[in-house]
Amino acid sequence: MKPVSGERKTRKRPLSGTGFTPFIIRRLLTSILLVFGVTFISFSITQLVPGDPVAANLGQSAYSDPEIVAAFEKEFGLDQPVPVQYYRYITNLLQGDLGVSLSSKRPVAEDLKEYFPATLEIALVAVFLALIVGLLLGIISAVTRDRWPDQIIRVFSLTGVSMPAFWTALTAFYIFFFVLGWAPGTGRLEPGGEPPPTVTGLFTIDALIKGDFQTFRQAFSYLLLPAIVLAIYAVGVLTRFTRASMLEILGNDYVRAARAKGLPEFTVIRRHVLRPALLSIITVAGVAFASLLAGSVLVENVFSWPGLGQYAYRAAVGLDLPGIMGVSMIVATVYITMNLLVDILYRIIDPQMKDSA
Amino acid sequence: MNLLTVENLTVTLATGSGDAQAVRNLSFNVGHGEILGVAGESGSGKTMTALSMLGLLPYKGKASGSIKFDGREILTSSKREYRDLRGKEIAMIFQDPMTSLHPMLTVEVQLTEHLRHHRKVSKDAARNSALELLATVKIPEPAAALRAHPSQFSGGMRQRIAIAMALACEPKLLIADEPTTALDVTVQAGILKLLHQLRKERNLSVMVITHDLGVLSSLTDRIMIMYAGSEVESGLTTDLLRNPRHPYTKGLIAALPGNSASNSKNLLSIDGMPPELGNFPTGCAFHTRCNYAKESCKGAIPEVTNLNSTHRIFCPINPFSEVTSAGSQS
């Protein structure tokens, strides 16, 4: 039996144990290694991409002056061989220094501190909405299989995954801002609005911390529409996936056995079906959250939302290598953190799982 | 009065090519404290018969006819009435204990959840009954077993847990769908012994579904043989196994290893395949594989022939009416 061999191992090497703490430590170590792997790959890709960052950042006349080009290259370390550039990048990274952006001429870390919370704020609201709506619709859809609620939900979820984000963003903005006037407009606050003192960088949270409910209401009303637009795709994905994995679990012998016990249908669904189904739903939810960040590029541009998406767009167009690297680092860290959370949730839902590491 | 009386039960299932009858005009009964064996090849409608007792037919399945349980018609029950019956009055054990126990729930939850729902007992009282139940089905260290998950037990132990689950609310009827098929031969005997003992101690009525005639001979009081959704022969176990009168029953018994009439080393088998759902032959469904079949067998649905007060067959020609003891049991 597995637990026996696990206990034996625990005595020898604590990190290979099957307990919860060794499991978390092990997963954290792998996660850190992964982040470094990501820096290597994204650094290599930015080097391989055709295009000269000097040309992209200096004007035509400055570019034709070899002295200015040399000074620019020296300032940003572009005159060094690539391995040296990477070595410098990593040693700086370990000190929390992500380099200086070629386009904004400010430290990338500062830029990210400003732009990332804005994206995190709509992404969190979006994923919260997507989880509630997606799970609920998926469960209703599976339970009413082939009857009218299921049919309607299936049409909606298919539409959700099929519509491109920029189109939903534009349409939603047109309808709710221009036609109906329900949405307040673009940006994070009304023009000239005073942002709350920065604690987390999330305006709604910061306003609450300060106790400023008026700013909270305003910030919330501004982020709601972009968050909903961002959530639509994830709602579609989660609904379809929840339905599919519920139906798969519903076909199991143990569900029939639970019904044969005369339990109320609600108990059968909640205890016997939803729990195993959640295991696979969580995986998809983790990936869906990370892909929200990708979707934010287009949505942020439509709503003039000063977030990571806009920053990434500018960095990419300007061949701003430190900027691109910074964004990749953030996105990779979010992906890896979501995976870590998913693994931990797995263990909480099914404590029998001993072997994932 | 019988505990269970089934009349003209017909089960219709939705298949890829339209509706098909899996059970056709089936009538039988189970007495108090009686063990009825239901036997037949795969696809003969045994499991669908069992599931219709519980109102648990698969997606889009429908049952018609009459099922009287304890003097009450249950086939027309509402979903709620069926739920109150399941687990509490009629309990079921499924074929494969590896898949019929929930992998993520502890044995305690699975043993007590229906007890707490039906009997409204406290958590502690339910745990105590669970301990007793585990002792009844001879699980070693019941207290430790309660905290364990099903994956920590062997197949035989899991089936014992499944039996304990079924007994939790002291049902009047236990339906066991192939309770030993997925188990090792050595473990099978223990489970059969347990079922026998439970019947004696609790005056439990049991309906055992199997395709294993060995299980039937050692466990049951009465046997019903099914073919293509219909009964072909039924009678007391001793009568039916010693003196089978339907060509199909005769074939089944002759096919048992060691029972072959020719006494050769070759195993006998019934030629051909059991008919597929939705494709049952007309008339006597067995005529396509029957050595005694005549032209008339294709036309008419066989009438019942009562051989004595308990033994009856459904054969249009009854070819062994003169023979008293053909294939005898070893």
Side-chain angles (χ1 to χ4, degrees):
Chain A
M1 232 160 53
K2 272 175 204 157
V4 178
S5 64
E7 279 159 28
R8 202 183 303 135
K9 267 192 212 156
T10 314
R11 255 173 266 135
K12 261 190 275 173
R13 288 179 302 156
L15 279 189
S16 61
T18 55
F20 202 61
T21 319
F23 161 74
I24 295 213
I25 294 172
R26 217 162 41 214
R27 284 295 283 107
L28 271 176
L29 288 178
T30 8
S31 300
I32 292 168
L33 277 179
L34 269 173
V35 172
F36 276 101
V38 168
T39 63
F40 181 75
I41 291 170
S42 50
F43 197 88
S44 312
I45 290 174
T46 51
Q47 294 296 327
L48 291 170
V49 170
D52 184 356
V54 184
N57 282 279
L58 294 178
Q60 186 98 53
S61 56
Y63 187 57
S64 51
D65 184 341
E67 261 179 53
I68 298 178
V69 170
F72 185 85
E73 283 184 338
K74 197 166 164 46
E75 188 189 339
F76 291 97
L78 296 172
D79 52 342
Q80 304 287 326
V82 175
V84 177
Q85 286 186 38
Y86 181 63
Y87 174 76
R88 273 200 187 166
Y89 184 76
I90 291 292
T91 42
N92 288 338
L93 182 67
L94 289 175
Q95 293 156 23
D97 179 1
L98 290 158
V100 175
S101 162
L102 300 186
S103 48
S104 73
K105 309 288 187 288
R106 297 198 314 161
V108 172
E110 296 271 306
D111 281 352
L112 293 179
K113 233 180 266 168
E114 193 182 314
Y115 289 100
F116 180 60
T119 298
L120 189 65
E121 196 171 24
I122 48 169
L124 281 177
V125 174
V127 87
F128 183 72
L129 284 175
L131 270 177
I132 292 180
V133 178
L135 271 175
L136 209 64
L137 291 183
I139 292 168
I140 294 173
S141 195
V143 171
T144 62
R145 180 182 171 188
D146 288 353
R147 298 204 300 271
W148 63 265
D150 178 36
Q151 310 279 20
I152 293 172
I153 290 170
R154 278 161 75 187
V155 171
F156 269 103
S157 58
L158 187 65
T159 317
V161 290
S162 314
M163 287 190 304
F166 69 88
W167 188 81
T168 34
L170 282 173
T171 314
F173 189 68
Y174 178 77
I175 293 174
F176 292 105
F177 180 70
F178 283 111
V179 179
L180 297 172
W182 293 354
T186 59
R188 295 180 80 177
L189 289 172
E190 60 189 41
E194 184 69 28
T198 307
V199 183
T200 58
L202 313 178
F203 283 4
T204 45
I205 306 285
D206 288 350
L208 281 184
I209 289 171
K210 201 192 159 203
D212 180 354
F213 290 104
Q214 209 186 334
T215 310
F216 169 78
R217 212 174 306 132
Q218 196 188 109
F220 190 74
S221 69
Y222 270 82
L223 74 81
L224 200 56
L225 191 59
I228 290 174
V229 169
L230 202 51
I232 286 176
Y233 177 78
V235 168
V237 172
L238 276 172
T239 304
R240 289 162 66 81
F241 199 82
T242 304
R243 178 181 188 271
S245 64
M246 289 271 298
L247 286 181
E248 193 194 321
I249 303 286
L250 277 169
N252 271 320
D253 280 2
Y254 55 74
V255 175
R256 197 172 58 174
R259 292 209 170 115
K261 287 169 162 184
L263 298 171
E265 188 63 14
F266 183 77
T267 310
V268 174
I269 296 294
R270 186 179 55 81
R271 190 181 292 156
H272 295 255
V273 181
L274 198 55
R275 238 176 102 170
L278 268 182
L279 281 182
S280 40
I281 294 168
I282 282 173
T283 316
V284 171
V287 176
F289 178 74
S291 70
L292 282 181
L293 292 183
S296 71
V297 174
L298 296 161
V299 174
E300 283 178 7
N301 270 305
V302 171
F303 288 95
S304 302
W305 189 262
L308 198 64
Q310 290 221 44
Y311 185 73
Y313 173 74
R314 274 206 300 270
V317 169
L319 279 177
D320 173 4
L321 295 189
I324 294 170
M325 287 293 292
V327 172
S328 333
M329 286 294 300
I330 288 263
V331 174
T333 312
V334 169
Y335 259 91
I336 290 165
T337 312
M338 286 318 295
N339 270 314
L340 183 66
L341 278 179
V342 165
D343 281 358
I344 291 171
L345 278 174
Y346 258 65
R347 288 281 296 237
I348 291 170
I349 292 175
D350 188 2
Q352 289 183 90
M353 295 216 306
K354 307 280 189 203
D355 295 313
S356 62
Chain B
M1 197 180 62
N2 289 316
L3 178 65
L4 181 75
T5 308
V6 175
E7 271 162 18
N8 298 321
L9 177 70
T10 296
V11 175
T12 312
L13 298 179
T15 67
S17 49
D19 287 356
Q21 292 187 340
V23 177
R24 303 187 291 176
N25 265 320
L26 192 68
S27 299
F28 65 95
N29 53 61
V30 183
H32 290 275
E34 186 185 36
I35 303 187
L36 171 74
V38 180
E41 289 165 286
S42 310
S44 59
K46 298 169 303 199
T47 300
M48 289 308 137
T49 305
L51 291 177
S52 52
M53 308 289 119
L54 290 168
L56 278 180
L57 286 173
Y59 184 59
K60 285 185 174 169
K62 283 188 288 288
S64 65
S66 157
I67 302 175
K68 283 206 177 69
F69 178 78
D70 225 2
R72 199 152 54 94
E73 175 61 50
I74 61 169
L75 192 61
T76 53
S77 295
S78 67
K79 280 183 179 175
R80 212 203 135 79
E81 287 167 328
Y82 256 127
R83 274 205 297 273
D84 288 342
L85 208 64
R86 286 182 210 143
K88 193 176 167 194
E89 308 277 339
I90 306 177
M92 184 153 177
I93 309 168
F94 293 92
Q95 176 168 357
D96 188 353
M98 300 316 240
T99 57
S100 63
L101 298 181
H102 199 290
M104 288 166 71
L105 299 174
T106 60
V107 170
E108 177 171 351
V109 170
Q110 302 194 54
L111 267 176
T112 58
E113 55 179 353
H114 49 316
L115 187 63
R116 296 188 61 193
H117 171 70
H118 289 307
R119 296 250 189 273
K120 309 281 176 232
V121 297
S122 72
K123 207 174 172 181
D124 287 337
R127 182 181 292 130
N128 287 335
S129 337
L131 286 172
E132 275 173 40
L133 284 166
L134 288 177
T136 308
V137 298
K138 301 189 180 64
I139 296 279
E141 298 183 53
L146 277 189
R147 287 189 301 273
H149 285 88
S151 60
Q152 288 162 269
F153 296 94
S154 65
M157 287 294 146
R158 285 194 205 191
Q159 196 59 297
R160 283 169 190 270
I161 292 170
I163 292 173
M165 257 164 66
L167 295 175
C169 297
E170 299 178 357
K172 297 190 179 97
L173 175 67
L174 179 66
I175 300 174
D177 186 4
E178 311 255 8
T180 58
T181 308
L183 304 175
D184 289 339
V185 184
T186 47
V187 181
Q188 284 184 11
I191 298 287
L192 294 180
K193 212 172 133 192
L194 177 64
L195 287 174
H196 233 297
Q197 184 196 335
L198 290 169
R199 184 268 292 264
K200 223 189 296 173
E201 287 170 2
R202 304 185 171 216
N203 195 34
L204 188 68
S205 302
V206 186
M207 184 172 147
V208 189
I209 292 162
T210 183
H211 54 244
D212 183 344
L213 288 175
V215 170
L216 289 174
S217 69
S218 59
L219 184 67
T220 61
D221 303 317
R222 221 151 45 78
I223 297 176
M224 170 170 73
I225 308 281
M226 286 180 73
Y227 187 84
S230 306
E231 173 184 343
V232 294
E233 180 166 7
S234 67
L236 296 177
T237 303
T238 42
D239 275 1
L240 192 130
L241 292 179
R242 291 222 183 97
N243 192 13
R245 300 293 286 276
H246 192 283
Y248 179 61
T249 317
K250 254 183 153 39
L252 281 183
I253 292 169
L256 277 180
N259 262 10
S260 37
S262 61
N263 237 353
S264 71
K265 280 181 187 162
N266 296 331
L267 293 174
L268 288 182
S269 62
I270 302 176
D271 288 338
M273 298 286 287
E276 281 172 34
L277 184 65
N279 216 359
F280 291 164
T282 55
C284 171
F286 188 59
H287 79 259
T288 50
R289 300 166 73 193
C290 183
N291 292 332
Y292 306 88
K294 294 178 180 161
E295 196 56 36
S296 62
C297 293
K298 292 177 190 169
I301 289 169
E303 293 289 322
V304 63
T305 310
N306 288 303
L307 302 167
N308 58 40
S309 61
T310 51
H311 197 172
R312 64 180 189 181
I313 62 170
F314 291 78
C315 178
I317 50 172
N318 196 5
F320 310 114
S321 53
E322 303 310 315
V323 194
T324 44
S325 171
S328 65
Q329 202 200 357
S330 65

